[in-house]
Amino acid sequence: MRLTPLLLACLFALPVAHAAEPPKHLSAKEILDASPDADWRTLDPASTLYMDVPGGRVVIELAPGFAPAHVANIRTLAREGFWNGLAIYRSQDNFVVQFGDADAEDTAKAKPLGMAKTKLPAEFARTGDGVSFTRLPDVDGWAPEVGFVDGFPVGRDPKTNEVWLAHCYGALGAGRGGPPDSSNGSELYVVTGQSPRQLDRNITLVGRVVKGMELLSTIPRGPEPMGFYENATERTPITAIHLASEVPESERTPLQVLRTDSKTFAAATEARRNRRDGWYVRPAGHIDLCNVPLPVREAKR
Amino acid sequence: MRLTPLLLACLFALPVAHAAEPPKHLSAKEILDASPDADWRTLDPASTLYMDVPGGRVVIELAPGFAPAHVANIRTLAREGFWNGLAIYRSQDNFVVQFGDADAEDTAKAKPLGMAKTKLPAEFARTGDGVSFTRLPDVDGWAPEVGFVDGFPVGRDPKTNEVWLAHCYGALGAGRGGPPDSSNGSELYVVTGQSPRQLDRNITLVGRVVKGMELLSTIPRGPEPMGFYENATERTPITAIHLASEVPESERTPLQVLRTDSKTFAAATEARRNRRDGWYVRPAGHIDLCNVPLPVREAKR
């Protein structure tokens, strides 16, 4: 038997059709297709960033509930056009892309932060008070408990009542130097590789990429080991970073994300934890926090 | 305080220098720099593939100990030049690239397999008999035990005495259709995203990329959801795939990999499990199987 691309397309996703009887287990796709509108949430334009690069638009959801000071500063910087004309100056394979002001070290050239604060508190974790935590039953080596809060993957420690954002693929963080409180939100990174969860609670995460990851993940890598480009011409320019709320409505990218506290999300996650589509001979019985897809769709205008 | 690229370069990797006293804890880099030559192993040319694409060379180590029938077929196909002039016809963000004969479905156009077998057994797991397993102490949700065998990340079940290759970043697998034994090694995929460990023991892994992942991970993505390109012009051509043993010695890429059963490997992994370089305020006390780097260096000629 020859394997073919079309046949191989079935490899990882498509359910096997049973003509005689209806499928007993719905696939994640079937569950999502049948989801009620109430299980979806429209992104708040005041907490949504558009990062426009030559290839298109990256849509980011900020997490003011986890990093209020950083998000406030990022909103200020976006309103001032701080990142417009700056660049992605680092791309390290299986780790991160990083962007901001590559000349920040040179006081003569550095772009001013304007009204943004130069000093912020570290926001590595927040209290669990008032937080709606949807726990995953799955074991995790990095945190006592893992799950989701408002669409973000998180760790939780019931002993300390702390909750924190997890470094999954697409996570957006604020670069820092030696002191824990040395980030101000002007230099940012996005995870483009295997989740570097060792960074959890060591650096402030401020949001996550909701759409357009392929524009960041395919950026040519800089030289090893850190991926900083040697020549400015190798950098990827940032056309602009705007808050969605500052962009005319006709130019917005209206998106909805699946509520992580919905029945649809729980059912789709279970369908991926134990895949019964006929292709898998051994359903895993497990899913890792950073393997759980966070579905997104276009909002009806 | 302004963050700068140079300062940010310290962000994830560099140890803090203590002038007054020697560091009590060596970093992974310091441990590797001090490693004896005996802790390194030169790749066997008969189990090494060179995948030449327009951007350069991808070096792959095959795993005949885990997938002997598939590796034998892949050696035959490489000797026949099966992949030369074929293409990478799929790139799905945060998942895999896939390559082989995009015309395999069309019997009129399909490239013949030559002396390679058309039918192979599924090689999802092997017996642990005679295997030197270096266990990680870290918990894993996908397997009862995890660790390394001959430089490959693996899962292990002590109850069944089975060992299997794990779908970490860079893993090379043989695409299959519906039947578990429908792969023949002509259609291959490489993991380019968050480790899809749900595939472990559901598909035959045949090796891993040792060097050149950035040539595969930056390939533009095909359309969602599966990443198969719509037009042949979008595919990345494969100049050639050769066994290193079939390439003149002067044209080889001589590499050494760190032995995963060495003291150096154990010490470097512990240095990453509990990072004490001054930057981390909270060492994780854990490392995931697929977060453990597998060091590679150029061999002395």
Side-chain angles (χ1 to χ4, degrees):
Chain A
M1 176 186 174
R2 286 300 298 277
L3 281 183
T4 69
L6 213 70
L7 198 69
L8 287 165
C10 305
L11 228 161
F12 304 114
L14 301 182
V16 171
H18 297 282
E21 54 186 57
K24 286 172 189 164
H25 300 280
L26 296 178
S27 71
K29 182 178 184 304
E30 289 166 326
I31 291 164
L32 291 171
D33 287 347
S35 62
D37 283 349
D39 283 358
W40 296 79
R41 169 176 63 85
T42 301
L43 291 185
D44 175 6
S47 292
T48 303
L49 286 182
Y50 296 151
M51 177 179 181
D52 292 326
V53 290
R57 176 176 281 179
V58 180
V59 181
I60 292 164
E61 181 173 22
L62 297 170
F66 285 85
H70 281 75
V71 168
N73 235 31
I74 287 167
R75 285 181 179 132
T76 300
L77 290 165
R79 282 197 194 94
E80 291 173 353
F82 175 79
W83 292 284
N84 305 358
L86 293 179
I88 299 168
Y89 53 72
R90 176 189 187 193
S91 174
Q92 181 179 339
D93 196 58
N94 196 21
F95 194 35
V96 298
V97 291
Q98 190 173 326
F99 55 96
D101 184 5
D103 291 324
E105 199 176 34
D106 185 338
T107 46
K109 288 189 191 170
K111 196 160 180 175
L113 293 184
M115 300 293 287
K117 293 181 179 169
T118 55
K119 181 91 180 160
L120 299 179
E123 297 178 300
F124 297 168
R126 59 157 292 172
T127 167
D129 292 344
V131 163
S132 172
F133 173 67
T134 303
R135 189 176 172 186
L136 276 183
D138 307 272
V139 68
D140 185 90
W142 305 97
E145 297 178 358
V146 289
F148 298 88
V149 171
D150 296 337
F152 291 93
V154 304
R156 180 172 178 264
D157 187 341
K159 286 186 191 164
T160 63
N161 189 31
E162 279 185 314
V163 186
W164 58 90
L165 297 177
H167 276 82
C168 295
Y169 188 80
L172 175 74
R176 74 162 175 91
D181 60 352
S182 58
S183 58
N184 61 35
S186 64
E187 309 301 311
L188 297 168
Y189 64 92
V190 171
V191 173
T192 57
Q194 175 72 16
S195 48
R197 297 276 307 279
Q198 72 277 3
L199 294 172
D200 291 2
R201 289 190 284 178
N202 282 290
I203 192 163
T204 299
L205 286 174
V206 299
R208 72 176 189 90
V209 173
V210 172
K211 188 177 169 65
M213 265 307 293
E214 71 282 1
L215 298 170
L216 302 178
S217 60
T218 58
I219 289 174
R221 307 324 190 206
E224 295 180 353
M226 306 286 292
F228 288 94
Y229 300 111
E230 286 166 358
N231 301 311
T233 55
E234 296 175 280
R235 297 174 188 151
T236 298
I238 299 171
T239 313
I241 295 183
H242 291 301
L243 273 171
S245 53
E246 305 275 311
V247 169
E249 218 165 323
S250 62
E251 295 169 24
R252 292 186 194 167
T253 305
L255 295 178
Q256 292 191 317
V257 293
L258 186 65
R259 289 181 188 277
T260 47
D261 58 356
S262 67
K263 284 185 181 174
T264 298
F265 183 76
T269 302
E270 172 55 25
R272 291 180 183 276
R273 183 183 291 114
N274 286 296
R275 300 188 194 221
R276 303 181 193 281
D277 59 14
W279 187 87
Y280 281 81
V281 296
R282 184 190 293 269
H286 172 80
I287 192 164
D288 254 23
L289 176 68
C290 293
N291 285 98
V292 177
L294 298 170
V296 58
R297 70 180 188 185
E298 287 184 26
K300 293 157 194 160
R301 281 183 189 255
Chain B
M1 176 186 174
R2 286 299 297 276
L3 281 183
T4 68
L6 213 69
L7 199 68
L8 287 165
C10 305
L11 228 160
F12 304 114
L14 301 182
V16 172
H18 298 281
E21 54 186 56
K24 286 173 189 164
H25 300 279
L26 295 178
S27 70
K29 182 177 184 306
E30 289 165 326
I31 291 164
L32 291 171
D33 286 346
S35 62
D37 283 349
D39 284 356
W40 296 80
R41 170 176 62 86
T42 301
L43 290 186
D44 174 6
S47 292
T48 302
L49 286 182
Y50 296 151
M51 177 179 181
D52 292 327
V53 291
R57 176 175 282 180
V58 180
V59 182
I60 292 163
E61 182 174 22
L62 297 170
F66 285 85
H70 281 76
V71 168
N73 235 31
I74 287 168
R75 286 180 179 134
T76 301
L77 290 164
R79 282 197 195 95
E80 291 172 354
F82 175 78
W83 291 284
N84 305 358
L86 294 179
I88 299 168
Y89 52 72
R90 176 190 187 191
S91 174
Q92 181 179 339
D93 196 57
N94 196 19
F95 194 35
V96 297
V97 292
Q98 190 174 325
F99 55 95
D101 184 4
D103 292 323
E105 199 176 34
D106 185 336
T107 46
K109 288 189 192 170
K111 197 162 179 175
L113 293 184
M115 300 292 287
K117 293 180 180 170
T118 55
K119 182 90 179 161
L120 299 178
E123 297 178 299
F124 297 168
R126 58 157 292 170
T127 166
D129 292 345
V131 163
S132 173
F133 173 67
T134 304
R135 188 177 173 186
L136 277 183
D138 308 272
V139 69
D140 185 89
W142 305 97
E145 297 179 358
V146 288
F148 298 88
V149 172
D150 296 337
F152 290 94
V154 304
R156 180 172 178 263
D157 187 341
K159 287 185 189 162
T160 62
N161 189 32
E162 280 186 312
V163 187
W164 57 91
L165 296 177
H167 276 82
C168 295
Y169 188 79
L172 175 74
R176 74 163 175 91
D181 59 354
S182 57
S183 58
N184 60 35
S186 64
E187 309 301 311
L188 298 168
Y189 64 91
V190 171
V191 172
T192 57
Q194 176 72 16
S195 48
R197 297 277 306 280
Q198 71 278 3
L199 293 172
D200 291 2
R201 288 189 285 177
N202 282 290
I203 192 163
T204 299
L205 286 174
V206 300
R208 72 176 188 90
V209 173
V210 171
K211 188 177 168 65
M213 264 308 293
E214 70 283 1
L215 298 170
L216 303 178
S217 60
T218 57
I219 288 175
R221 308 325 190 206
E224 295 180 354
M226 306 285 293
F228 288 95
Y229 301 110
E230 286 165 359
N231 301 311
T233 55
E234 297 175 279
R235 296 175 189 151
T236 298
I238 298 171
T239 313
I241 296 183
H242 291 301
L243 273 170
S245 54
E246 306 274 313
V247 169
E249 219 165 321
S250 62
E251 294 169 25
R252 293 185 193 166
T253 305
L255 295 178
Q256 292 191 317
V257 293
L258 186 66
R259 289 181 188 276
T260 47
D261 58 356
S262 67
K263 283 185 182 173
T264 298
F265 183 77
T269 302
E270 172 55 24
R272 291 179 184 277
R273 183 183 291 114
N274 287 296
R275 300 187 192 222
R276 304 180 193 283
D277 59 14
W279 186 87
Y280 281 82
V281 297
R282 184 189 293 268
H286 172 80
I287 192 163
D288 255 24
L289 176 68
C290 292
N291 285 97
V292 177
L294 299 170
V296 58
R297 70 180 188 185
E298 287 184 25
K300 293 157 195 160
R301 283 184 189 252

